[in-house]
Amino acid sequence: MSDKKPIISPDSEGISNGTRRDFIKQSSVLTAVALTPGTVVHAASDHMDEQIAAVFEKMPLKMEVNGKPHSLQVEPRSTLLDILREQLDLTGTKKGCDHGQCGACTVHVDGHRVNSCLTLGVMVNGKRITTIEGLAKGEELHPMQEAFLKHDGFQCGYCTPGQIMSAVACIREGHANSEGEIREYMSGNICRCGAYPNIVNAIQEVKAGGQAV
């Protein structure tokens, strides 16, 4: 028997491998297309899927924001924060971490503070929402806003709306009876500038003054 082995040139081997790869790719594509319903394929080609989803995914939302009724159409996944900022143009409520960890997005829902970045819009249907824009009465600032100004309870100001909304709720909840209690119940609001002592002083002054909050 001859010990000679068949000679395969490098070029022919490369062509063979390339042909196999092309065959596998084409087979995968054809299989995916074959398993996809025809209506979906046509809709995708005409971008109809996005248009249909935009119509059918919207849900009605009625809520009162800062004393004004609003009737909206929102996506089920839209957060209260995004609805306030993007649809109602109430940009005082800030988007910080978007994970409920910094408190910059704090608003009041039926008088209770919530992180609006973690609250879906559809969850507040029929409820009363108060944002930082709704605290003042015309040109008259809310007592907590005045106290923050007096005690320099801010530096860059980005977290200030959320701090003030939480500070008001802190007093309403009965959790402003001592410095330690204030710090504990304000711990969900982060101030990267470190204005915590001044924030505590502002809350204590409003609490001591007995003003309606």
Side-chain angles (χ1 to χ4, degrees):
M1 294 179 60
S2 174
D3 294 333
K4 292 183 179 181
K5 297 180 180 179
I7 298 175
I8 301 175
S9 68
D11 292 340
S12 63
E13 185 177 1
I15 293 172
S16 176
N17 289 338
T19 303
R20 284 197 294 270
R21 283 195 295 269
D22 292 340
F23 175 76
I24 293 171
K25 290 178 182 178
Q26 292 172 2
S27 299
S28 300
V29 172
L30 290 172
T31 302
V33 172
L35 295 176
T36 304
T39 53
V40 174
V41 174
H42 290 304
S45 64
D46 296 333
H47 302 289
M48 287 296 294
D49 53 340
E50 297 178 4
Q51 298 176 31
I52 292 172
V55 174
F56 287 99
E57 288 184 2
K58 295 284 182 76
M59 297 183 67
L61 171 63
K62 291 185 177 181
M63 60 181 178
E64 180 184 301
V65 182
N66 299 333
K68 297 179 180 180
H70 291 275
S71 295
L72 306 170
Q73 292 291 322
V74 302
E75 294 184 8
R77 62 183 178 178
S78 295
T79 63
L80 177 58
L81 172 61
D82 288 337
I83 293 170
L84 291 172
R85 291 180 58 84
E86 296 174 11
Q87 292 191 241
L88 299 183
D89 200 28
L90 294 171
T91 56
T93 305
K94 303 303 183 185
K95 178 175 285 194
C97 65
D98 217 20
H99 288 82
Q101 297 175 348
C102 72
C105 67
T106 304
V107 299
H108 296 169
V109 176
D110 285 345
H112 303 285
R113 55 176 158 173
V114 302
N115 290 324
S116 59
C117 75
L118 296 183
T119 305
L120 293 175
V122 294
M123 296 171 61
V124 299
N125 189 49
K127 298 184 182 295
R128 293 179 296 105
I129 315 300
T130 305
T131 70
I132 188 68
E133 292 92 343
L135 284 186
K137 296 180 179 178
E139 297 297 321
E140 181 183 352
L141 293 178
H142 186 278
M144 191 64 71
Q145 291 173 310
E146 292 182 337
F148 265 65
L149 287 171
K150 177 181 177 181
H151 292 277
D152 291 329
F154 56 90
Q155 288 188 37
C156 77
Y158 193 84
C159 74
T160 306
Q163 297 279 1
I164 291 175
M165 297 304 291
S166 279
V168 171
C170 187
I171 293 178
R172 288 178 179 174
E173 295 163 1
H175 296 142
N177 299 306
S178 67
E179 179 179 338
E181 189 175 36
I182 291 172
R183 288 183 177 275
E184 179 180 353
Y185 283 91
M186 289 292 293
S187 60
N189 290 78
I190 295 175
C191 174
R192 291 176 175 83
C193 300
Y196 297 114
N198 298 347
I199 292 172
V200 171
N201 291 339
I203 296 173
Q204 287 181 316
E205 179 173 294
V206 176
K207 165 69 175 176
Q211 298 118 308
V213 295

